[in-house]
Amino acid sequence: MEWISYLPSLGRGALVTASITLAAIALGGAAAFVAGIARVEGGRIVATLALCYTELFRGTSLLVQLFWFYYALPLVGISFEPVTTGIVVLALHVGAYGSEIVRGALASVAQQQHEAARALNFGRMQTLLHITLPQALVEMMPAFGNLAIETLKLSSLVSLISIADLTFRAQSIRNLTLDSTTVYTLTLLGYFLMSLVLMGLMRLLERLVRRGAAFPRAAHS
């Protein structure tokens, strides 16, 4: 029953992993909506800037991004704590991939909906908030759920910049005990349980969105 002695340390690491993942999803989701809407509704300059951000973070390695923010950026006088670095880089990653989800969902709204909005004398912002976005949000949710799970799995990379997350603590215990099978089995179970909880939360959010709970005013307008 020696494996029981591993649980407190692994549990603390799991809390760090969960907090980093949730923070990155929240911040990255906001970045995704800003960049995605900018791609569709922004002017040429704004859309180009959003495109550059998206392609930069989708086209480079997340591990290299972590190392650049943690090791290279301080050389020009800008530095963050390891946890802050991990959250920021993961959020930018989520935002880049999520912006494509937002852009695609907005673009999928039928043209007749835009024509109906113009017939009602809606402005661009009114059309976005009351017509386009509520419909597109329903289409985004399954893809955002997958992106959230992927973010949880990718969060293990933050252990490489000295963050004591679940992976970091598992490796530390393994180095002391050489009990690779038990330690990594418990680690796999930890990530699996966290992914189940995260999937449940995302499915609950998806159900709320489908019921119109996220846009109560739009539902009654």
Side-chain angles (χ1 to χ4, degrees), residues 84-130:
T84 303
T85 301
I87 291 173
V88 168
V89 174
L90 281 172
L92 290 171
H93 175 86
V94 171
Y97 280 89
S99 68
E100 284 297 294
I101 297 173
V102 174
R103 183 195 63 78
L106 290 174
S108 70
V109 175
Q111 186 61 34
Q112 291 88 338
Q113 299 290 331
H114 295 275
E115 294 172 358
R118 284 194 293 271
L120 293 172
N121 203 30
F122 277 18
R124 291 181 64 183
M125 186 59 65
Q126 286 179 302
T127 301
L128 175 66
L129 293 178
H130 298 294

Side-chain angles (χ1 to χ4, degrees), residues 58-71:
R58 290 176 69 227
T60 56
S61 165
L62 177 60
L63 180 58
V64 176
Q65 292 167 18
L66 276 169
F67 285 165
W68 189 86
F69 271 79
Y70 190 65
Y71 294 111

Side-chain angles (χ1 to χ4, degrees), residues 20-62:
I20 288 175
T21 300
L22 291 175
I25 290 172
L27 294 174
F33 275 91
V34 171
I37 292 172
R39 292 278 306 278
V40 177
E41 299 291 342
R44 179 175 298 180
I45 295 176
V46 173
T48 300
L49 290 174
L51 176 62
C52 290
Y53 154 65
T54 300
E55 294 305 315
L56 175 63
F57 281 90
R58 290 176 69 227
T60 56
S61 165
L62 177 60

